[in-house]
Amino acid sequence: MPLLYGPTVENLYTTLAKMGETIVSRFEIPPMDTSVKSEDIQINGNYKVRVYHPPGATGNDHLGLYLHGGGWTLGDLDIEDALCRLVSKTVNMVLVSVDYRLAPKHKYPAALDDCVHAFEWAIANASKLGVRDTKVTIIGGSAGANLALGSALRLIDEGKGAPISGVIAQVPATIHPDAVPASLREKYISMEENADLSLATRSSMLAFWSEFTLSVLLPVKVGLS
C-alpha cells in the first residue's frame, strides 16, 4: 500500500516522486482526451487558470470551478488534467481549473484568496467563456475540497454567494485536529483510528497542515482553550 509520511514535506516530495516512477513503469498512461479543448490564461501575477470546453459545448453550458488537491503544497494544472477533461465532457461543463499559489512559500490565506478571486473572475467573464448561466459549481478533492468549502464560506460571508449552485467536496480536509473544540474531541477520532491506513497518513496530514497554516494555528488554539 502506498503511504506518505512526514515529518516534513521534503519526505513527502521524495516518496511521491518514487511512487510516480513506479506507476509510470507499471501502467500505461492513457493519452490526453483532445476532444475537450483547453486554454491556459494568466489571470494576474499570482496565478493562472486552465479553461476546459466540452466537445458538445452549446454556449449555454454549466460553469464549474475546479481546485486541485495536493496538501496545499503540491499540484498544478497538469496533475488532475485528465479528471478535469472527464468532468467537462461528462456533464457538458465549462470548467475553470485554478493554479493557486502553494505552501510553504505562500501560507494561508494565499491559496484561498486565489480561489475566491478565480470564482469572481469566472463570473465576470462568463460570456467570454461561452456560458450564459452564471451559476457556478465549486469542485475539489482533499486540499482542493478544503479550498472549495472555504471559498464558498467566504463568498457567502461577503454577500457574494448567490452565484454558487453547489459545492462538490471529495474527501475534504476540513479542520486541523488542534482546532477541534474540546467538547467534540472524543468524537474526532478518524485520524487516529486510520493513521496508517491510507495514502494520506496522519503523519503526512500534519506535515501538510503545518506548511500551510502554521502562522494561523496559534490564535485558533488559544481561542479554543
Side-chain angles (χ1 to χ4, degrees):
M1 180 183 296
L3 298 171
L4 293 174
Y5 289 102
T8 69
V9 291
E10 284 72 21
N11 298 115
L12 307 180
Y13 296 157
T14 300
T15 305
L16 280 171
K18 292 179 179 178
M19 287 182 186
E21 292 173 0
T22 300
I23 291 172
V24 171
S25 68
R26 295 185 182 181
F27 301 98
E28 182 178 348
I29 307 301
M32 178 190 299
D33 185 351
T34 55
S35 70
V36 179
K37 304 303 180 183
S38 64
E39 177 186 9
D40 289 3
I41 303 173
Q42 188 72 44
I43 302 302
N44 55 33
N46 292 330
Y47 75 99
K48 61 183 176 180
V49 299
R50 179 170 295 167
V51 182
Y52 297 88
H53 294 273
T58 64
N60 192 30
D61 306 301
H62 299 293
L63 179 59
L65 189 75
Y66 188 85
L67 312 175
H68 68 77
W72 309 281
T73 68
L74 301 164
D76 52 27
L77 293 178
D78 296 327
I79 195 70
E80 294 177 33
D81 178 79
L83 177 59
C84 287
R85 291 178 186 276
L86 178 63
V87 171
S88 176
K89 186 174 184 177
T90 302
V91 299
N92 224 53
M93 173 180 282
V94 174
L95 192 62
V96 178
S97 179
V98 186
D99 192 23
Y100 54 83
R101 286 173 289 173
L102 299 174
K105 182 178 180 181
H106 302 286
K107 296 284 190 179
Y108 172 89
L112 182 61
D113 290 343
D114 293 345
C115 295
V116 170
H117 186 271
F119 178 95
E120 296 173 333
W121 175 88
I123 292 294
N125 291 274
S127 60
K128 295 179 182 179
L129 297 175
V131 177
R132 292 182 182 175
D133 183 2
T134 54
K135 290 286 187 178
V136 182
T137 302
I138 309 176
I139 308 167
S142 192
N146 167 279
L147 292 169
L149 292 167
S151 297
L153 289 171
R154 179 186 286 185
L155 288 161
I156 291 169
D157 287 345
E158 294 178 353
K160 303 174 184 177
I164 301 173
S165 61
V167 177
I168 300 175
Q170 306 170 87
V171 291
T174 56
I175 186 169
H176 190 285
D178 288 350
V180 177
S183 61
L184 298 176
R185 284 178 184 169
E186 65 178 19
K187 298 180 180 180
Y188 192 82
I189 56 177
S190 179
M191 183 176 285
E192 301 297 336
E193 290 184 333
N194 302 283
D196 300 296
L197 297 180
S198 69
L199 175 69
T201 64
R202 181 182 185 278
S203 172
S204 68
M205 285 304 301
L206 291 177
F208 284 135
W209 277 116
S210 67
E211 294 295 344
F212 182 51
T213 63
L214 185 60
S215 61
V216 298
L217 278 180
L218 183 58
V220 173
K221 292 164 67 176
V222 170
L224 293 172
S225 62

